[in-house]
Amino acid sequence: MYAAAAVAVALLGARYLHQSQTASGAGKPAGARKAAPVRVEAAGGGRATVQVVGAVRRPGLYRVRASGRVDDAVRRAGGATAKADLAGLNLAAKVSDGQQIVVPAAGAAGPISVGSAPGAAGGAAGAGATGPPVNLNTASAEQLDQLDGVGPATAQKIVAYRQQHGGFRSVSELDQVPGIGEKKLAALKDRLRV
């Protein structure tokens, strides 16, 4: 008896809901627009468009998961070429929409050991005055710290900017890093390369 009553109440409720939905649609003016359906996506389920350039097999624009990593984007671009120097790229960094990922070539962007030569123990002045130019896209924070006018905090900001933006496209882009103004950029320009 109770089960039959529950089924009857459920059927009446369903019929009431159906009638109220039909009635609300019928009462609308003829020119009224229908509301667009709401699309719900799971967190991290979106897509990001990134540009992969440099030493990859197929440079170009690629769509990857918004929660994806730089490694995913490089793989989408056919992987790194034999000339690539992946030590200068943080493959574990998360991608962001609109990001450009620069995969440096070994010959043009190989790691530079600043201050590691025996004659470079003279301090920051010695490191800033001699030696090959430092590559902004591959140098470690310790290597950048050896440059005149660049301390540990600024070196970390340079590395963070490089990881966030997929590398530097030119030395002049260094002025986008907090703490580096026109004067500091002018003093460093001859000591840097990309």
Side-chain angles (χ1 to χ4, degrees):
M1 180 107 167
Y2 287 114
V7 170
V9 169
L11 289 174
L12 287 174
R15 184 173 182 193
Y16 173 78
L17 286 174
H18 178 69
Q19 285 177 347
S20 66
Q21 287 176 351
T22 308
S24 66
K28 290 184 181 176
R33 293 183 160 247
K34 185 177 179 181
V38 176
R39 184 176 170 187
V40 179
E41 291 186 10
R47 306 295 275 177
T49 302
V50 297
Q51 180 184 24
V52 183
V53 297
V56 291
R57 288 184 176 83
R58 295 184 311 269
L61 293 175
Y62 293 95
R63 291 184 53 84
V64 295
R65 289 185 334 267
S67 61
R69 306 290 177 163
V70 170
D71 182 59
D72 299 329
V74 171
R75 287 175 194 252
R76 290 288 313 259
T81 64
K83 295 180 181 179
D85 179 15
L86 295 178
L89 186 63
N90 182 0
L91 294 172
K94 286 190 176 184
V95 297
S96 60
D97 190 48
Q99 177 181 7
Q100 182 184 46
I101 299 168
V102 180
V103 178
I112 305 295
S113 296
V114 176
S116 61
T130 61
V134 176
N135 189 305
L136 283 172
N137 289 323
T138 60
S140 67
E142 293 78 21
Q143 292 168 330
L144 293 167
D145 186 22
Q146 296 294 317
L147 296 168
D148 286 334
V150 177
T154 303
Q156 287 296 333
K157 289 178 186 176
I158 293 171
V159 171
Y161 180 91
R162 177 177 73 201
Q163 291 174 346
Q164 183 180 12
H165 294 90
F168 289 89
R169 291 178 292 279
S170 69
V171 173
S172 60
E173 189 179 345
L174 188 62
D175 69 353
Q176 300 297 313
V177 176
I180 297 186
E182 290 180 31
K183 289 183 180 181
K184 192 177 281 190
L185 178 60
L188 291 171
K189 202 169 203 171
D190 295 335
R191 296 282 302 123
L192 300 169
R193 67 183 177 107
V194 291

